[in-house]
Amino acid sequence: MALLVHLLSCSFGLGSWVAVNGLWVELPLIVNQLPEGWDLPSYLTVIIQLANLGPLLATLMQKLCPGRLKERAVIYTILVTGVVACFLLAAFWAETTVVGGALHSTAFLIITFFLSLVDCTSSVTFLPFMMQLPPKYITTYFIGEGLSGFVPGLVALGQGVGVTKCANVTQPSDNETHMETQYLPPHFSPEVFFFFLAVMMVVSLTAFTLLTRVPRTFQLSTEDLACDPVASVSSGLDNLATEHPEKHKSHSEWTRSRSLLAKPRYSGYQFGFIYFLVVWVNGLTNGLLPSVQTYSCMPYGDVAYHLSAALSSMANPVAWTAFGAYNMAMAALSPCPLLQGTVAGQTLIVLSWVFFVGALSYVKVMVGVILRDEGHSALVWCGAAVQLGSMAGALTMFPLVNVYQLFQAGDTCSTRCPL
């Protein structure tokens, strides 16, 4: 039974961010097929931040109408929405319409919003549900959450980049020959990849359904429960303590546990620094840098962009945040960054993105470990800091990319840069 619950917990966590992570690693194959072009990542960062409406509404409903919003019903709803949205994405991702006199990939952007709504809301619903299980299964859940970025990246590597080649093409209008970039097909299409994401969401939905059927005597073993379930479980959308009071410790035991947790280990200044670090790190990883990844990588070719997108989602914490500055500098120099057209330049930009994401992911994990023992309130403020930093980064970069056009696109074959 324990092995089965570990497997189900991991599979359940896989559905937390697999859809949005899958969109990011698939961008190298679709950024040249959708009308937004290189600006598409900046649109995605803003859409993902708008999707924070989901957790905001869930939190408000719980505060204003406690008990009305059932945790399991919410999780079922968002998982089913994720499955449907992934199938719709596979069918309609390339559909475009004219909006404001310009062609836009409205279907892709609208479906992306719903996928982001699913993943953002999972942050405030999945973990409270998992905290009804013994603590060892929460660790397995986090492993599954990590795999939600690793698995799509691995599949994207197998998909291939749609290798480009430069060919001389004669234009009928002026009868002159121009160098043109031609894209070779990947090993399988984006439709197949999006269908794979739908399958992953089905796996997560199935795992959650089976987890809800775990025998209560096993699920609520008092000797395995976390020391502060009142502060965690009851702060979710269902108050398990009131539903099954016979399964919990006596009031005096909970009082002693809560008094031990009431004394913080960090000063106000230390908490302030930790939350500032969360805001800064998430501003970089979720807002500032993703908006310009195309500009920093595409001048080196599609292979460099594809590898940086796929491998960075699989990265381990092995480098410093200085790589972020290099990535931003190469985007600012687009379409003629340093070492363009060389193997060294391609290698450096890929490694820079992998190390950047890996290092800051490590920082986020360590902050989570620090705050986990400080109680539910500390984690709530951590979540607020994550969203604040992500939103600040996205809203900062969107006008710079799309309004002021500080970053310039180029073509791998036709762009001529000074030596």
Side-chain angles (χ1 to χ4, degrees):
M1 175 63 73
L3 180 61
L4 174 62
V5 176
H6 275 298
L7 179 61
L8 293 177
S9 300
C10 183
S11 300
F12 177 47
L14 187 65
S16 58
W17 284 94
V18 69
V20 170
N21 287 330
L23 289 177
W24 282 113
V25 300
E26 190 68 3
L27 276 184
L29 291 182
I30 63 178
V31 72
N32 291 302
Q33 302 181 47
L34 295 179
E36 289 78 11
W38 289 21
D39 294 339
L40 187 60
S42 65
Y43 281 88
L44 291 188
T45 56
V46 173
I47 288 174
I48 292 172
Q49 299 314 311
L50 292 177
N52 283 308
L53 178 66
L56 177 61
L57 289 178
T59 302
L60 288 177
M61 287 212 46
Q62 175 60 17
K63 294 296 182 182
L64 299 177
C65 306
R68 293 285 185 88
L69 201 60
K70 299 301 181 182
E71 180 183 84
R72 294 187 180 185
V74 173
I75 296 177
Y76 273 123
T77 300
I78 63 177
L79 285 175
V80 170
T81 301
V83 171
V84 173
C86 285
F87 280 113
L88 291 176
L89 190 66
F92 301 108
W93 72 271
E95 298 295 324
T96 58
T97 56
V98 176
V99 179
L103 201 61
H104 287 283
S105 50
T106 49
F108 178 82
L109 297 177
I110 291 173
I111 296 173
T112 295
F113 172 77
F114 282 99
L115 287 177
S116 303
L117 195 66
V118 168
D119 289 0
C120 290
T121 309
S122 72
S123 300
V124 297
T125 55
F126 283 18
L127 189 56
F129 171 79
M130 286 303 302
M131 295 183 83
Q132 299 173 18
L133 296 173
K136 58 185 178 181
Y137 299 110
I138 298 178
T139 302
T140 309
Y141 166 81
F142 280 123
I143 293 175
E145 193 174 79
L147 289 175
S148 69
F150 181 86
V151 173
L154 194 63
V155 174
L157 287 178
Q159 184 182 20
V161 67
V163 180
T164 62
K165 68 175 182 178
C166 298
N168 289 318
V169 177
T170 301
Q171 301 292 338
S173 58
D174 54 13
N175 201 31
E176 292 184 3
T177 301
H178 303 275
M179 190 69 71
E180 185 179 274
T181 302
Q182 295 183 347
Y183 295 90
L184 303 181
H187 297 141
F188 53 87
S189 66
E191 288 83 357
V192 175
F193 182 84
F194 293 140
F195 180 78
F196 164 78
L197 296 183
V199 172
M200 291 296 96
M201 292 300 298
V202 170
V203 169
S204 180
L205 174 61
T206 304
F208 173 70
T209 303
L210 295 176
L211 279 175
T212 61
R213 287 162 172 72
V214 170
R216 306 296 289 184
T217 53
F218 169 83
Q219 179 177 340
L220 297 175
S221 173
T222 54
E223 61 185 19
D224 285 334
L225 276 172
C227 59
D228 191 19
V230 174
S232 56
V233 175
S234 65
S235 59
L237 301 180
D238 281 338
N239 191 337
L240 190 64
T242 59
E243 293 178 3
H244 302 274
E246 73 279 1
K247 300 293 184 180
H248 292 270
K249 294 182 180 179
S250 66
H251 175 73
S252 59
E253 290 176 307
W254 287 128
T255 303
R256 289 195 298 270
S257 298
R258 291 173 64 85
S259 63
L260 290 175
L261 292 174
K263 184 178 179 181
R265 296 186 300 169
Y266 302 97
S267 67
Y269 293 108
Q270 290 173 319
F271 273 118
F273 174 75
I274 290 173
Y275 290 131
F276 169 78
L277 194 62
V278 172
V279 170
W280 174 248
V281 166
N282 284 276
L284 289 175
T285 56
N286 299 335
L288 290 173
L289 270 300
S291 300
V292 296
Q293 187 173 17
T294 44
Y295 293 95
S296 66
C297 297
M298 284 293 282
Y300 294 101
D302 285 54
V303 174
Y305 183 22
H306 179 72
L307 291 177
S308 66
L311 292 178
S312 62
S313 70
M314 305 163 59
N316 290 316
V318 290
W320 308 316
T321 59
F323 288 106
Y326 178 81
N327 297 336
M328 183 65 76
M330 295 307 100
L333 292 174
S334 176
C336 298
L338 299 178
L339 301 176
Q340 185 195 32
T342 67
V343 175
Q346 295 175 7
T347 303
L348 187 57
I349 195 65
V350 171
L351 292 178
S352 182
W353 271 98
V354 172
F355 291 161
F356 162 74
V357 174
L360 295 194
S361 297
Y362 176 75
V363 172
K364 289 191 286 187
V365 170
M366 289 301 99
V367 169
V369 170
I370 291 172
L371 295 178
R372 181 183 60 189
D373 297 329
E374 298 302 319
H376 180 263
S377 178
L379 291 175
V380 170
W381 282 106
C382 180
V386 167
Q387 302 306 330
L388 176 62
S390 302
M391 182 175 297
L395 296 181
T396 298
M397 293 307 299
F398 188 82
L400 297 180
V401 173
N402 297 283
V403 179
Y404 299 105
Q405 298 181 342
L406 296 184
F407 303 91
Q408 300 299 316
D411 185 87
T412 306
C413 296
S414 60
T415 301
R416 294 293 178 264
C417 297
L419 298 177

